[in-house]
Amino acid sequence: MDVLQISIAAMPFLLALMSRTRKAIAPCLLTSIITVLLGNEPHRAVMAWCVGVLIAAVALRERLRAS
């Protein structure tokens, strides 16, 4: 994997860092690591990435909603 693919795989973790509650960071980090490890199997990697982005998006939405 090159740097661009790794940075896209880390997007859920980076989004979770912006959330108000810190409960989403560990699952998003785990999904980012799984995405990188499953880089040779694109369908499984995309599924893990989508789950991570969904978790991070909900956490970020709650932060924006609370402000």
Side-chain angles (χ1 to χ4, degrees):
M1 295 184 85
D2 59 351
V3 175
L4 180 63
Q5 289 174 331
I6 292 173
S7 63
I8 290 173
M11 191 184 327
F13 175 66
L14 297 174
L15 285 173
L17 287 176
M18 294 188 301
S19 68
R20 180 173 295 237
T21 61
R22 300 294 182 199
K23 295 177 183 176
I25 293 176
C28 290
L29 178 63
L30 183 64
T31 57
S32 294
I33 291 171
I34 290 172
T35 301
V36 170
L37 293 177
L38 292 175
N40 294 333
E41 301 176 21
H43 298 294
R44 292 181 181 178
V46 167
M47 190 62 131
W49 185 82
C50 287
V51 169
V53 168
L54 182 64
I55 294 169
V58 169
L60 188 60
R61 184 181 136 237
E62 290 300 318
R63 176 184 180 193
L64 295 174
R65 190 173 174 202
S67 342

